Amino acid sequence: MTKIVIVLKGYPRLSETFIAQELLGLERAGHELYLVSMRHPTDKKRHPVHDEIKAPVRYLPEYLHDEPWCVIRSWWKARRLPQYKRLRKAFLADLKRDWTRNRWRRFGQALVLAAEFPKDADWLHAHFIHTPGSVTLYASLVLDIGWSCSAHAKDIWTSPDWDLQAKLGQARFVVTCTRAGFDKLRSLSPYPARVHLSYHGLDLSRFASFAGTRPARDGTDAHDPVLLLSVGRAVEKKGYDILLAALALLPKTLAWRFVHIGGGEELSKLKAQAETLGLASRITWLGSRAQEEVLAQYRESDLFVLPCRIASDGDRDGLPNVLVEASSQGLACISTTVSGVPELLSDGVNGLLVPPEDAQALSGALAKAITDPELRLRLGAAAETRVRANFDHKSSIEELTQLFRAARGHS
């Protein structure tokens, strides 16, 4: 059996459980994988799924100046390969449009990947079409083997069109996880039929139905407040500043508590905002947590909220996996109409959706759900039904398996 080399931006990452779940699913489907990460891990915790993945991991030089001799040796080896001139031509064309250290870094990382490429591997696959896609494309050119890509969210919406078009023209196939991303990539691709929509889904064996009963809290008992939860990195696109503003607009007599799980560079700013708004005593910031702890929190909570927005640089979520996870536990969700969220949640049917950036509308939805436990129960049950019917990760693994088989058969 030949290996598929998977190129990742960083591994393992707590915020990318959907990738780890896919890797494990591919292994269980019979694929042999070799992981290549462009960055070393920074999270202090690991999800259990990471320990179940058997594939070895090779870390490329994160910064070329940290391992100069490795890069030079790799260049010396790669330049002797028959297709080196093809790589050089593509890189110089990209460099004319993107004269940055980042572009040189991807070229150097691709040289190392090519020089150390496993002899029993015959395919390259990138997770994220931006920088991992660049490294993978360059390596595929010099190695003269096929490659494919999974595109997600930020990588689609913050990459220049010329860069996306070049990769879409070279990759044998590209999969993406939202209709919005699918439509964008197809509009840019010279080969639209090579772009495929495939939702990540969940490993439902890890997210069994919640067998317990949630209390009928309605916000009237200060000693038993409604428990609000959000899971996500504290970054602009998650909209947590809007959420805090919305919480501050709730009636002062309404009893609630908010728990946030996740790291992120804006945590200190959000904590300061909570203090200014007089909310600090009602909020618990748990930081990063492993998957089993997150699952327990879903089951203890009454309402999940994630006010996604389009960030100032165009970054946005695709379909946040945490919304799928929360829904799998029958936990009612409030979110926004951004990107792929409406592909999971329909307002008033299996969740509540509001426009992004609208603290007033978000506060109204929060008040409605906090005071109506029967509504939460109905929305949560409908959301779980949708997830269990349409978001089983086995479907996406089967789709990927078929795409790999077809592409490798024609490479």
Side-chain angles (χ1 to χ4, degrees):
M1 179 184 293
T2 54
K3 289 189 178 79
I4 299 174
V5 174
I6 310 283
V7 181
L8 306 150
K9 189 169 185 179
Y11 181 85
R13 283 181 163 178
L14 286 176
S15 61
E16 294 176 358
T17 53
F18 62 96
I19 292 179
Q21 176 182 279
E22 181 179 290
L23 296 175
L24 182 60
L26 288 171
E27 285 191 335
R28 288 176 172 173
H31 300 278
E32 188 174 1
L33 308 180
Y34 182 90
L35 309 183
V36 175
S37 176
M38 295 159 52
R39 292 181 179 176
H40 287 270
T42 56
D43 297 318
K44 296 179 180 179
K45 292 177 176 286
R46 292 167 62 95
H47 292 310
V49 64
H50 291 127
D51 296 322
E52 296 176 40
I53 295 168
K54 296 181 175 63
V57 186
R58 164 65 166 107
Y59 291 94
L60 298 176
E62 189 166 341
Y63 297 98
L64 304 186
H65 60 260
D66 289 340
E67 300 181 52
W69 292 115
C70 174
V71 177
I72 292 170
R73 285 194 304 270
S74 297
W75 170 75
W76 187 257
K77 183 176 181 180
R79 68 187 291 273
R80 298 182 179 184
L81 295 174
Q83 297 298 329
Y84 178 74
K85 289 183 179 179
R86 187 168 64 156
L87 164 61
R88 185 177 63 188
K89 181 180 179 181
F91 168 64
L92 291 176
D94 289 344
L95 196 61
K96 287 180 181 179
R97 290 179 158 184
D98 179 30
W99 188 272
T100 62
R101 292 179 64 186
N102 182 61
R103 181 62 59 178
W104 281 99
R105 188 187 310 169
R106 304 316 162 203
F107 176 67
Q109 289 178 318
L111 292 175
V112 175
L113 172 56
E116 300 180 1
F117 199 74
K119 292 181 179 179
D120 55 348
D122 71 343
W123 196 262
L124 279 156
H125 184 79
H127 258 291
F128 295 103
I129 201 169
H130 56 347
T131 50
S134 295
V135 172
T136 306
L137 168 58
Y138 291 158
S140 78
L141 289 174
V142 71
L143 292 168
D144 198 25
I145 64 172
W147 76 289
S148 51
C149 182
S150 293
H152 301 289
K154 178 179 181 178
D155 52 328
I156 298 173
W157 301 105
T158 63
S159 295
D161 287 354
W162 66 263
D163 191 47
L164 291 173
Q165 286 171 334
K167 290 166 181 168
L168 289 163
Q170 295 275 358
R172 286 290 303 154
F173 70 84
V174 174
V175 295
T176 190
C177 51
T178 66
R179 173 64 61 176
F182 172 74
D183 291 341
K184 169 76 180 287
L185 294 177
R186 279 180 65 93
S187 73
L188 293 173
S189 178
Y191 308 105
R194 293 185 183 181
V195 181
H196 303 268
L197 174 62
S198 180
Y199 296 110
H200 298 303
L202 284 183
D203 180 350
L204 294 175
S205 66
R206 296 180 189 274
F207 289 85
S209 293
F210 176 44
T213 302
R214 289 187 171 89
R217 302 182 178 109
D218 61 4
T220 60
D221 187 351
H223 299 291
D224 190 23
V226 174
L227 299 180
L228 315 178
L229 172 66
S230 193
V231 181
R233 290 178 299 126
V235 294
E236 183 185 0
K237 69 179 177 181
K238 300 297 183 181
Y240 286 124
D241 56 328
I242 300 295
L243 175 56
L244 293 178
L247 291 172
L249 293 172
L250 290 171
K252 304 302 180 187
T253 55
L254 208 56
W256 56 268
R257 286 195 59 80
F258 172 57
V259 173
H260 174 264
I261 293 177
E265 59 266 24
E266 293 193 356
L267 267 180
S268 59
K269 188 195 307 186
L270 292 172
K271 291 177 182 180
Q273 182 186 357
E275 287 280 0
T276 301
L277 294 173
L279 303 176
S281 63
R282 291 183 168 202
I283 299 176
T284 302
W285 306 92
L286 291 180
S288 298
R289 288 290 187 270
Q291 192 175 64
E292 64 270 25
E293 297 173 90
V294 177
L295 176 59
Q297 200 66 50
Y298 288 140
R299 292 174 172 177
E300 292 174 12
S301 302
D302 299 304
L303 183 63
F304 188 87
V305 56
L306 189 70
C308 306
R309 57 136 70 101
I310 299 175
S312 54
D313 65 354
D315 187 14
R316 68 201 74 176
D317 276 310
L319 173 51
N321 221 47
V322 291
L323 286 173
V324 185
E325 292 176 357
S327 296
S328 78
Q329 300 307 298
L331 181 60
C333 296
I334 298 177
S335 191
T336 67
T337 52
V338 163
S339 198
V341 175
E343 296 172 48
L344 169 68
L345 301 177
S346 298
D347 184 45
V349 177
N350 63 348
L352 297 177
L353 297 181
V354 300
E357 309 286 354
D358 193 335
Q360 191 73 53
L362 180 57
S363 186
L366 284 165
K368 181 178 181 179
I370 288 171
T371 57
D372 192 342
E374 291 186 3
L375 172 67
R376 298 197 303 267
L377 186 65
R378 176 174 65 81
L379 295 177
E384 179 174 4
T385 297
R386 173 147 173 72
V387 164
R388 297 198 178 275
N390 301 104
F391 287 86
D392 188 331
H393 85 303
K394 293 177 182 177
S395 298
S396 63
I397 296 300
E398 178 58 29
E399 289 170 6
L400 268 178
T401 294
Q402 292 176 2
L403 288 169
F404 279 132
R405 184 178 296 122
R408 293 162 81 185
H410 291 89
S411 60

mmCIF file of all heavy atoms in Angstrom, residues 313-361:
data_model
loop_
_atom_site.group_PDB
_atom_site.id
_atom_site.type_symbol
_atom_site.label_atom_id
_atom_site.label_comp_id
_atom_site.label_asym_id
_atom_site.label_seq_id
_atom_site.Cartn_x
_atom_site.Cartn_y
_atom_site.Cartn_z
ATOM 1 N N ASP A 313 -10.328 41.716 7.704
ATOM 2 C CA ASP A 313 -9.471 41.257 6.604
ATOM 3 C C ASP A 313 -10.172 40.260 5.692
ATOM 4 O O ASP A 313 -9.547 39.668 4.810
ATOM 5 C CB ASP A 313 -8.176 40.648 7.148
ATOM 6 C CG ASP A 313 -8.415 39.376 7.963
ATOM 7 O OD1 ASP A 313 -9.594 39.033 8.208
ATOM 8 O OD2 ASP A 313 -7.426 38.724 8.362
ATOM 9 N N GLY A 314 -11.490 40.089 5.884
ATOM 10 C CA GLY A 314 -12.262 39.156 5.069
ATOM 11 C C GLY A 314 -12.365 37.762 5.644
ATOM 12 O O GLY A 314 -13.135 36.932 5.143
ATOM 13 N N ASP A 315 -11.615 37.463 6.708
ATOM 14 C CA ASP A 315 -11.655 36.142 7.318
ATOM 15 C C ASP A 315 -13.040 35.872 7.891
ATOM 16 O O ASP A 315 -13.721 36.786 8.376
ATOM 17 C CB ASP A 315 -10.595 36.059 8.427
ATOM 18 C CG ASP A 315 -10.454 34.660 8.996
ATOM 19 O OD1 ASP A 315 -10.969 33.708 8.379
ATOM 20 O OD2 ASP A 315 -9.818 34.522 10.059
ATOM 21 N N ARG A 316 -13.454 34.632 7.836
ATOM 22 C CA ARG A 316 -14.750 34.237 8.382
ATOM 23 C C ARG A 316 -14.740 32.732 8.619
ATOM 24 O O ARG A 316 -13.915 32.008 8.060
ATOM 25 C CB ARG A 316 -15.885 34.602 7.425
ATOM 26 C CG ARG A 316 -15.882 33.802 6.139
ATOM 27 C CD ARG A 316 -16.639 34.482 5.030
ATOM 28 N NE ARG A 316 -15.890 35.626 4.500
ATOM 29 C CZ ARG A 316 -16.286 36.365 3.475
ATOM 30 N NH1 ARG A 316 -17.436 36.096 2.885
ATOM 31 N NH2 ARG A 316 -15.552 37.367 3.037
ATOM 32 N N ASP A 317 -15.664 32.269 9.435
ATOM 33 C CA ASP A 317 -15.825 30.833 9.618
ATOM 34 C C ASP A 317 -16.472 30.226 8.387
ATOM 35 O O ASP A 317 -17.153 30.919 7.612
ATOM 36 C CB ASP A 317 -16.716 30.550 10.835
ATOM 37 C CG ASP A 317 -15.938 30.558 12.137
ATOM 38 O OD1 ASP A 317 -14.894 29.889 12.199
ATOM 39 O OD2 ASP A 317 -16.372 31.241 13.078
ATOM 40 N N GLY A 318 -16.280 28.914 8.222
ATOM 41 C CA GLY A 318 -17.041 28.181 7.227
ATOM 42 C C GLY A 318 -18.345 27.748 7.896
ATOM 43 O O GLY A 318 -19.278 28.521 8.070
ATOM 44 N N LEU A 319 -18.394 26.510 8.294
ATOM 45 C CA LEU A 319 -19.456 26.012 9.171
ATOM 46 C C LEU A 319 -18.768 25.543 10.432
ATOM 47 O O LEU A 319 -18.167 24.462 10.448
ATOM 48 C CB LEU A 319 -20.225 24.866 8.507
ATOM 49 C CG LEU A 319 -21.266 24.137 9.369
ATOM 50 C CD1 LEU A 319 -22.222 25.118 10.025
ATOM 51 C CD2 LEU A 319 -22.020 23.123 8.534
ATOM 52 N N PRO A 320 -18.785 26.343 11.493
ATOM 53 C CA PRO A 320 -18.035 25.999 12.703
ATOM 54 C C PRO A 320 -18.418 24.626 13.244
ATOM 55 O O PRO A 320 -19.604 24.344 13.484
ATOM 56 C CB PRO A 320 -18.421 27.112 13.687
ATOM 57 C CG PRO A 320 -18.810 28.263 12.822
ATOM 58 C CD PRO A 320 -19.476 27.636 11.626
ATOM 59 N N ASN A 321 -17.433 23.777 13.442
ATOM 60 C CA ASN A 321 -17.692 22.429 13.909
ATOM 61 C C ASN A 321 -18.345 22.421 15.290
ATOM 62 O O ASN A 321 -19.092 21.498 15.628
ATOM 63 C CB ASN A 321 -16.386 21.625 13.939
ATOM 64 C CG ASN A 321 -16.576 20.210 13.437
ATOM 65 O OD1 ASN A 321 -17.196 20.012 12.404
ATOM 66 N ND2 ASN A 321 -16.056 19.235 14.159
ATOM 67 N N VAL A 322 -18.072 23.462 16.085
ATOM 68 C CA VAL A 322 -18.649 23.492 17.438
ATOM 69 C C VAL A 322 -20.168 23.611 17.390
ATOM 70 O O VAL A 322 -20.860 23.129 18.297
ATOM 71 C CB VAL A 322 -18.041 24.631 18.285
ATOM 72 C CG1 VAL A 322 -16.581 24.327 18.604
ATOM 73 C CG2 VAL A 322 -18.184 25.991 17.609
ATOM 74 N N LEU A 323 -20.718 24.233 16.346
ATOM 75 C CA LEU A 323 -22.174 24.290 16.212
ATOM 76 C C LEU A 323 -22.737 22.898 15.935
ATOM 77 O O LEU A 323 -23.805 22.537 16.437
ATOM 78 C CB LEU A 323 -22.570 25.249 15.091
ATOM 79 C CG LEU A 323 -22.412 26.747 15.385
ATOM 80 C CD1 LEU A 323 -22.682 27.557 14.124
ATOM 81 C CD2 LEU A 323 -23.344 27.195 16.510
ATOM 82 N N VAL A 324 -22.017 22.115 15.140
ATOM 83 C CA VAL A 324 -22.440 20.742 14.867
ATOM 84 C C VAL A 324 -22.331 19.908 16.141
ATOM 85 O O VAL A 324 -23.230 19.111 16.461
ATOM 86 C CB VAL A 324 -21.595 20.133 13.735
ATOM 87 C CG1 VAL A 324 -22.119 18.742 13.372
ATOM 88 C CG2 VAL A 324 -21.591 21.028 12.496
ATOM 89 N N GLU A 325 -21.236 20.081 16.875
ATOM 90 C CA GLU A 325 -21.048 19.336 18.123
ATOM 91 C C GLU A 325 -22.143 19.667 19.132
ATOM 92 O O GLU A 325 -22.747 18.761 19.733
ATOM 93 C CB GLU A 325 -19.673 19.662 18.715
ATOM 94 C CG GLU A 325 -18.514 19.133 17.910
ATOM 95 C CD GLU A 325 -17.166 19.566 18.472
ATOM 96 O OE1 GLU A 325 -17.138 20.330 19.457
ATOM 97 O OE2 GLU A 325 -16.134 19.138 17.924
ATOM 98 N N ALA A 326 -22.396 20.958 19.338
ATOM 99 C CA ALA A 326 -23.423 21.363 20.304
ATOM 100 C C ALA A 326 -24.788 20.819 19.894
ATOM 101 O O ALA A 326 -25.561 20.317 20.724
ATOM 102 C CB ALA A 326 -23.459 22.888 20.421
ATOM 103 N N SER A 327 -25.085 20.908 18.602
ATOM 104 C CA SER A 327 -26.375 20.406 18.109
ATOM 105 C C SER A 327 -26.512 18.910 18.333
ATOM 106 O O SER A 327 -27.611 18.409 18.610
ATOM 107 C CB SER A 327 -26.523 20.734 16.626
ATOM 108 O OG SER A 327 -26.561 22.131 16.401
ATOM 109 N N SER A 328 -25.397 18.174 18.226
ATOM 110 C CA SER A 328 -25.451 16.723 18.423
ATOM 111 C C SER A 328 -25.881 16.354 19.835
ATOM 112 O O SER A 328 -26.318 15.229 20.084
ATOM 113 C CB SER A 328 -24.092 16.090 18.114
ATOM 114 O OG SER A 328 -23.176 16.271 19.193
ATOM 115 N N GLN A 329 -25.741 17.305 20.764
ATOM 116 C CA GLN A 329 -26.121 17.067 22.158
ATOM 117 C C GLN A 329 -27.495 17.640 22.499
ATOM 118 O O GLN A 329 -27.855 17.767 23.665
ATOM 119 C CB GLN A 329 -25.066 17.653 23.089
ATOM 120 C CG GLN A 329 -23.685 17.057 22.887
ATOM 121 C CD GLN A 329 -23.730 15.540 22.964
ATOM 122 O OE1 GLN A 329 -24.076 14.966 23.993
ATOM 123 N NE2 GLN A 329 -23.378 14.866 21.853
ATOM 124 N N GLY A 330 -28.250 18.003 21.458
ATOM 125 C CA GLY A 330 -29.575 18.566 21.686
ATOM 126 C C GLY A 330 -29.523 19.916 22.351
ATOM 127 O O GLY A 330 -30.506 20.337 22.979
ATOM 128 N N LEU A 331 -28.399 20.621 22.212
ATOM 129 C CA LEU A 331 -28.224 21.931 22.829
ATOM 130 C C LEU A 331 -28.634 23.008 21.831
ATOM 131 O O LEU A 331 -28.054 23.114 20.750
ATOM 132 C CB LEU A 331 -26.763 22.118 23.247
ATOM 133 C CG LEU A 331 -26.389 23.427 23.948
ATOM 134 C CD1 LEU A 331 -27.178 23.610 25.234
ATOM 135 C CD2 LEU A 331 -24.879 23.458 24.232
ATOM 136 N N ALA A 332 -29.639 23.789 22.180
ATOM 137 C CA ALA A 332 -30.118 24.850 21.294
ATOM 138 C C ALA A 332 -29.005 25.850 21.023
ATOM 139 O O ALA A 332 -28.233 26.196 21.916
ATOM 140 C CB ALA A 332 -31.315 25.554 21.921
ATOM 141 N N CYS A 333 -28.923 26.323 19.771
ATOM 142 C CA CYS A 333 -27.843 27.213 19.351
ATOM 143 C C CYS A 333 -28.384 28.536 18.819
ATOM 144 O O CYS A 333 -29.400 28.570 18.117
ATOM 145 C CB CYS A 333 -27.012 26.569 18.251
ATOM 146 S SG CYS A 333 -26.139 25.069 18.744
ATOM 147 N N ILE A 334 -27.657 29.595 19.131
ATOM 148 C CA ILE A 334 -27.883 30.910 18.537
ATOM 149 C C ILE A 334 -26.619 31.290 17.782
ATOM 150 O O ILE A 334 -25.524 31.209 18.320
ATOM 151 C CB ILE A 334 -28.180 31.978 19.608
ATOM 152 C CG1 ILE A 334 -29.458 31.648 20.369
ATOM 153 C CG2 ILE A 334 -28.295 33.363 18.969
ATOM 154 C CD1 ILE A 334 -29.771 32.626 21.498
ATOM 155 N N SER A 335 -26.776 31.694 16.526
ATOM 156 C CA SER A 335 -25.624 32.135 15.752
ATOM 157 C C SER A 335 -26.075 33.214 14.780
ATOM 158 O O SER A 335 -27.126 33.837 14.966
ATOM 159 C CB SER A 335 -24.962 30.948 15.047
ATOM 160 O OG SER A 335 -23.715 31.325 14.498
ATOM 161 N N THR A 336 -25.283 33.429 13.717
ATOM 162 C CA THR A 336 -25.598 34.469 12.749
ATOM 163 C C THR A 336 -25.734 33.862 11.355
ATOM 164 O O THR A 336 -25.472 32.678 11.136
ATOM 165 C CB THR A 336 -24.491 35.547 12.716
ATOM 166 O OG1 THR A 336 -23.289 34.958 12.203
ATOM 167 C CG2 THR A 336 -24.234 36.114 14.107
ATOM 168 N N THR A 337 -26.092 34.711 10.407
ATOM 169 C CA THR A 337 -26.342 34.258 9.041
ATOM 170 C C THR A 337 -25.069 34.254 8.199
ATOM 171 O O THR A 337 -25.138 34.210 6.970
ATOM 172 C CB THR A 337 -27.381 35.173 8.371
ATOM 173 O OG1 THR A 337 -26.963 36.547 8.501
ATOM 174 C CG2 THR A 337 -28.738 35.016 9.035
ATOM 175 N N VAL A 338 -23.920 34.277 8.816
ATOM 176 C CA VAL A 338 -22.648 34.320 8.101
ATOM 177 C C VAL A 338 -22.295 32.964 7.501
ATOM 178 O O VAL A 338 -22.475 31.917 8.134
ATOM 179 C CB VAL A 338 -21.518 34.798 9.044
ATOM 180 C CG1 VAL A 338 -20.141 34.463 8.488
ATOM 181 C CG2 VAL A 338 -21.625 36.293 9.273
ATOM 182 N N SER A 339 -21.801 33.001 6.285
ATOM 183 C CA SER A 339 -21.158 31.860 5.618
ATOM 184 C C SER A 339 -22.013 30.597 5.679
ATOM 185 O O SER A 339 -23.166 30.597 5.274
ATOM 186 C CB SER A 339 -19.770 31.635 6.236
ATOM 187 O OG SER A 339 -18.952 30.854 5.405
ATOM 188 N N GLY A 340 -21.457 29.487 6.192
ATOM 189 C CA GLY A 340 -22.140 28.208 6.135
ATOM 190 C C GLY A 340 -23.071 27.917 7.293
ATOM 191 O O GLY A 340 -23.694 26.845 7.320
ATOM 192 N N VAL A 341 -23.213 28.838 8.248
ATOM 193 C CA VAL A 341 -24.056 28.563 9.413
ATOM 194 C C VAL A 341 -25.490 28.215 9.009
ATOM 195 O O VAL A 341 -26.070 27.248 9.529
ATOM 196 C CB VAL A 341 -24.026 29.746 10.406
ATOM 197 C CG1 VAL A 341 -25.009 29.510 11.554
ATOM 198 C CG2 VAL A 341 -22.615 29.951 10.949
ATOM 199 N N PRO A 342 -26.120 28.968 8.069
ATOM 200 C CA PRO A 342 -27.495 28.609 7.677
ATOM 201 C C PRO A 342 -27.611 27.270 6.967
ATOM 202 O O PRO A 342 -28.733 26.799 6.734
ATOM 203 C CB PRO A 342 -27.894 29.765 6.735
ATOM 204 C CG PRO A 342 -27.005 30.909 7.103
ATOM 205 C CD PRO A 342 -25.706 30.257 7.464
ATOM 206 N N GLU A 343 -26.484 26.667 6.605
ATOM 207 C CA GLU A 343 -26.534 25.331 6.003
ATOM 208 C C GLU A 343 -26.797 24.259 7.059
ATOM 209 O O GLU A 343 -27.161 23.135 6.732
ATOM 210 C CB GLU A 343 -25.232 25.043 5.252
ATOM 211 C CG GLU A 343 -25.027 25.982 4.071
ATOM 212 C CD GLU A 343 -23.673 25.846 3.421
ATOM 213 O OE1 GLU A 343 -23.241 24.707 3.139
ATOM 214 O OE2 GLU A 343 -23.017 26.890 3.191
ATOM 215 N N LEU A 344 -26.608 24.626 8.322
ATOM 216 C CA LEU A 344 -26.918 23.737 9.440
ATOM 217 C C LEU A 344 -28.179 24.190 10.168
ATOM 218 O O LEU A 344 -29.069 23.380 10.445
ATOM 219 C CB LEU A 344 -25.750 23.699 10.436
ATOM 220 C CG LEU A 344 -26.016 23.015 11.774
ATOM 221 C CD1 LEU A 344 -26.218 21.507 11.573
ATOM 222 C CD2 LEU A 344 -24.879 23.279 12.757
ATOM 223 N N LEU A 345 -28.249 25.478 10.481
ATOM 224 C CA LEU A 345 -29.332 26.004 11.313
ATOM 225 C C LEU A 345 -30.303 26.843 10.491
ATOM 226 O O LEU A 345 -29.887 27.697 9.697
ATOM 227 C CB LEU A 345 -28.759 26.874 12.441
ATOM 228 C CG LEU A 345 -27.777 26.195 13.404
ATOM 229 C CD1 LEU A 345 -27.238 27.209 14.409
ATOM 230 C CD2 LEU A 345 -28.444 25.025 14.126
ATOM 231 N N SER A 346 -31.589 26.605 10.699
ATOM 232 C CA SER A 346 -32.646 27.428 10.108
ATOM 233 C C SER A 346 -33.342 28.181 11.230
ATOM 234 O O SER A 346 -33.764 27.568 12.231
ATOM 235 C CB SER A 346 -33.662 26.556 9.355
ATOM 236 O OG SER A 346 -33.041 25.868 8.292
ATOM 237 N N ASP A 347 -33.460 29.481 11.082
ATOM 238 C CA ASP A 347 -34.002 30.315 12.149
ATOM 239 C C ASP A 347 -35.416 29.882 12.530
ATOM 240 O O ASP A 347 -36.299 29.768 11.677
ATOM 241 C CB ASP A 347 -34.011 31.777 11.700
ATOM 242 C CG ASP A 347 -34.477 32.708 12.808
ATOM 243 O OD1 ASP A 347 -34.020 32.545 13.962
ATOM 244 O OD2 ASP A 347 -35.308 33.601 12.530
ATOM 245 N N GLY A 348 -35.588 29.622 13.831
ATOM 246 C CA GLY A 348 -36.893 29.247 14.350
ATOM 247 C C GLY A 348 -37.257 27.796 14.144
ATOM 248 O O GLY A 348 -38.271 27.330 14.669
ATOM 249 N N VAL A 349 -36.449 27.072 13.371
ATOM 250 C CA VAL A 349 -36.720 25.657 13.100
ATOM 251 C C VAL A 349 -35.837 24.768 13.962
ATOM 252 O O VAL A 349 -36.332 23.903 14.697
ATOM 253 C CB VAL A 349 -36.507 25.337 11.607
ATOM 254 C CG1 VAL A 349 -36.725 23.848 11.345
ATOM 255 C CG2 VAL A 349 -37.429 26.172 10.738
ATOM 256 N N ASN A 350 -34.513 24.970 13.873
ATOM 257 C CA ASN A 350 -33.591 24.181 14.702
ATOM 258 C C ASN A 350 -32.491 25.057 15.297
ATOM 259 O O ASN A 350 -31.431 24.574 15.667
ATOM 260 C CB ASN A 350 -32.988 23.026 13.899
ATOM 261 C CG ASN A 350 -32.140 23.509 12.736
ATOM 262 O OD1 ASN A 350 -32.158 24.681 12.378
ATOM 263 N ND2 ASN A 350 -31.389 22.588 12.147
ATOM 264 N N GLY A 351 -32.764 26.335 15.403
ATOM 265 C CA GLY A 351 -31.834 27.279 16.004
ATOM 266 C C GLY A 351 -32.376 28.683 15.855
ATOM 267 O O GLY A 351 -33.465 28.891 15.299
ATOM 268 N N LEU A 352 -31.641 29.654 16.361
ATOM 269 C CA LEU A 352 -31.987 31.058 16.190
ATOM 270 C C LEU A 352 -30.827 31.753 15.498
ATOM 271 O O LEU A 352 -29.683 31.638 15.936
ATOM 272 C CB LEU A 352 -32.275 31.727 17.547
ATOM 273 C CG LEU A 352 -33.474 31.185 18.332
ATOM 274 C CD1 LEU A 352 -33.591 31.899 19.679
ATOM 275 C CD2 LEU A 352 -34.778 31.345 17.537
ATOM 276 N N LEU A 353 -31.124 32.472 14.407
ATOM 277 C CA LEU A 353 -30.105 33.181 13.653
ATOM 278 C C LEU A 353 -30.420 34.670 13.625
ATOM 279 O O LEU A 353 -31.575 35.067 13.458
ATOM 280 C CB LEU A 353 -30.022 32.655 12.216
ATOM 281 C CG LEU A 353 -29.610 31.198 12.027
ATOM 282 C CD1 LEU A 353 -29.560 30.853 10.536
ATOM 283 C CD2 LEU A 353 -28.262 30.926 12.673
ATOM 284 N N VAL A 354 -29.374 35.470 13.768
ATOM 285 C CA VAL A 354 -29.508 36.924 13.713
ATOM 286 C C VAL A 354 -28.470 37.466 12.735
ATOM 287 O O VAL A 354 -27.496 36.776 12.402
ATOM 288 C CB VAL A 354 -29.320 37.572 15.106
ATOM 289 C CG1 VAL A 354 -30.369 37.048 16.083
ATOM 290 C CG2 VAL A 354 -27.912 37.322 15.634
ATOM 291 N N PRO A 355 -28.622 38.703 12.274
ATOM 292 C CA PRO A 355 -27.587 39.280 11.410
ATOM 293 C C PRO A 355 -26.285 39.460 12.191
ATOM 294 O O PRO A 355 -26.308 39.688 13.403
ATOM 295 C CB PRO A 355 -28.178 40.638 11.009
ATOM 296 C CG PRO A 355 -29.639 40.540 11.299
ATOM 297 C CD PRO A 355 -29.767 39.610 12.465
ATOM 298 N N PRO A 356 -25.144 39.361 11.519
ATOM 299 C CA PRO A 356 -23.873 39.615 12.211
ATOM 300 C C PRO A 356 -23.766 41.087 12.597
ATOM 301 O O PRO A 356 -24.448 41.943 12.016
ATOM 302 C CB PRO A 356 -22.819 39.237 11.159
ATOM 303 C CG PRO A 356 -23.511 39.413 9.843
ATOM 304 C CD PRO A 356 -24.947 39.037 10.092
ATOM 305 N N GLU A 357 -22.951 41.354 13.579
ATOM 306 C CA GLU A 357 -22.658 42.726 14.028
ATOM 307 C C GLU A 357 -23.844 43.411 14.706
ATOM 308 O O GLU A 357 -23.782 44.601 14.986
ATOM 309 C CB GLU A 357 -22.193 43.609 12.858
ATOM 310 C CG GLU A 357 -21.070 43.051 12.013
ATOM 311 C CD GLU A 357 -19.715 43.101 12.705
ATOM 312 O OE1 GLU A 357 -19.622 43.675 13.810
ATOM 313 O OE2 GLU A 357 -18.754 42.545 12.137
ATOM 314 N N ASP A 358 -24.919 42.701 14.983
ATOM 315 C CA ASP A 358 -26.139 43.320 15.530
ATOM 316 C C ASP A 358 -26.338 42.877 16.977
ATOM 317 O O ASP A 358 -26.997 41.875 17.263
ATOM 318 C CB ASP A 358 -27.347 42.918 14.675
ATOM 319 C CG ASP A 358 -28.585 43.755 14.968
ATOM 320 O OD1 ASP A 358 -28.685 44.286 16.095
ATOM 321 O OD2 ASP A 358 -29.446 43.860 14.071
ATOM 322 N N ALA A 359 -25.769 43.644 17.898
ATOM 323 C CA ALA A 359 -25.855 43.293 19.317
ATOM 324 C C ALA A 359 -27.297 43.329 19.816
ATOM 325 O O ALA A 359 -27.693 42.518 20.659
ATOM 326 C CB ALA A 359 -24.982 44.235 20.140
ATOM 327 N N GLN A 360 -28.085 44.258 19.294
ATOM 328 C CA GLN A 360 -29.474 44.374 19.725
ATOM 329 C C GLN A 360 -30.268 43.130 19.340
ATOM 330 O O GLN A 360 -31.013 42.560 20.156
ATOM 331 C CB GLN A 360 -30.111 45.616 19.110
ATOM 332 C CG GLN A 360 -31.472 45.968 19.693
ATOM 333 C CD GLN A 360 -31.379 46.537 21.096
ATOM 334 O OE1 GLN A 360 -30.639 47.495 21.336
ATOM 335 N NE2 GLN A 360 -32.118 45.958 22.032
ATOM 336 N N ALA A 361 -30.100 42.689 18.090
ATOM 337 C CA ALA A 361 -30.815 41.487 17.632
ATOM 338 C C ALA A 361 -30.343 40.256 18.393
ATOM 339 O O ALA A 361 -31.145 39.385 18.759
ATOM 340 C CB ALA A 361 -30.619 41.303 16.129
#
